[in-house]
Amino acid sequence: PTGSLLYPYGPHQGDETNPKHDDGTSEAITLSIPFTFYGKTYQTVFVNNNGVISFNEPIRQYTPDPFPLADGSPFVAPYWADVDNVLGGDIFYRQTTAPALLEDISHDITKYFPKKPFTATWALVATWDHVAYYGSTSEKGNTFQAVLTTDSKMFYIILNYWDIQWTTGAASDGDAETGLGGTPAHAGFNSGDDTHFYKIPGSQTDAIINITTTSNVKVPGRWVFRVDDFQVTGVDPSQLNNNCWL
């Protein structure tokens, strides 16, 4: 499915496709523009099948842990859960400097962060397209996307949730038929130190299934963060328990 929420993706966009391996990962992706995340700059990322983009090292773990992670892995978790693309779906990624896409991304970020005009010079687009969960006996699939982008001064991540039908793989105590229960998916950011992390509300609870309806930029299903010096924007922590953050 394509909609206004997802930026264009797929082989016809020049995307690479991850191998079909449970708990698999992309090859090491050397970034043409180094990416600054929580004050540290990285030149290598991995797009991991289990809904994580990690810096320096791949992540094969399939049951999500709470943040901060004890092992100090710096990563972005668009939707960390037990994906099995052997059973269904594809994971795509590309680095791009295509003017039309960068113009769209620049327009969106400037709309959400109007005080700091932003003209993207590079983006990494990673898309999980109708991916199945481990142990699935259903046709359920999740479609979501993460975009890393920069103007070489500011660094942003856009998370797009288009269609979320399951939260949990069967090895994480999820139900094989429904893909629900057990230890549900985790969405957010882990800096790699013990103190700096962010979890999107609903993470690791059954409510994460509703992430397509939530946002911090008033666009249901889209969360946008400035991550070079990580800032949570548009979410008032005191409101999170009152469902006023939609």
Side-chain angles (χ1 to χ4, degrees):
T2 51
S4 56
L5 196 65
L6 296 175
Y7 298 108
Y9 68 91
H12 58 288
Q13 296 291 332
D15 283 2
E16 305 284 335
T17 305
N18 275 14
K20 296 271 187 188
H21 288 306
D22 182 41
D23 304 329
T25 176
S26 68
E27 59 193 34
I29 304 162
T30 303
L31 302 181
S32 53
I33 294 188
F35 195 81
T36 302
F37 179 67
Y38 279 103
K40 290 184 183 158
T41 300
Y42 299 94
Q43 287 182 299
T44 306
V45 301
F46 292 82
V47 173
N48 303 281
N49 290 6
N50 288 339
V52 171
I53 297 177
S54 55
F55 298 97
N56 294 348
E57 301 288 337
I59 299 286
R60 299 181 188 276
Q61 182 177 330
Y62 54 85
T63 300
D65 279 329
F67 295 158
L69 296 179
D71 70 359
S73 300
F75 69 56
V76 180
Y79 200 81
W80 185 16
D82 198 357
V83 170
D84 188 349
N85 65 343
V86 178
L87 292 179
D90 285 294
I91 296 114
F92 301 111
Y93 66 91
R94 73 184 180 281
Q95 293 187 72
T96 179
T97 55
L101 177 67
L102 293 181
E103 198 174 313
D104 286 348
I105 290 171
S106 303
H107 172 263
D108 287 343
I109 287 181
T110 300
K111 189 165 62 182
Y112 310 140
F113 299 84
K115 290 179 182 157
K116 302 205 167 159
F118 179 82
T119 305
T121 53
W122 168 92
L124 172 80
V125 181
T127 310
W128 287 256
D129 182 49
H130 203 74
V131 290
Y133 55 94
Y134 180 81
S136 173
T137 59
S138 75
E139 298 293 306
K140 287 185 170 185
N142 286 347
T143 300
F144 56 96
Q145 184 179 69
V147 178
L148 281 60
T149 187
T150 185
D151 60 1
S152 80
K153 294 185 293 294
M154 296 180 284
F155 295 78
Y156 285 93
I157 292 177
I158 303 168
L159 302 177
N160 292 322
Y161 300 94
W162 180 245
D163 188 21
I164 299 295
Q165 301 180 356
W166 61 267
T167 63
T168 321
S172 310
D173 297 327
D175 183 300
E177 209 171 309
T178 64
L180 305 174
T183 303
H186 195 155
F189 300 84
N190 192 69
S191 68
D193 64 31
D194 291 336
T195 47
H196 297 95
F197 58 93
Y198 177 73
K199 68 174 191 176
I200 289 179
S203 286
Q204 295 205 281
T205 75
D206 296 339
I208 198 69
I209 195 97
N210 300 318
I211 199 167
T212 54
T213 67
T214 67
S215 178
N216 65 339
V217 291
K218 298 184 171 64
V219 179
R222 176 172 284 174
W223 289 77
V224 185
F225 303 91
R226 184 168 168 191
V227 298
D228 44 298
D229 174 23
F230 187 86
Q231 296 159 14
V232 178
T233 305
V235 179
D236 174 357
S238 68
Q239 299 297 316
L240 291 180
N241 298 328
N242 307 329
N243 293 326
C244 297
W245 47 281
L246 302 183

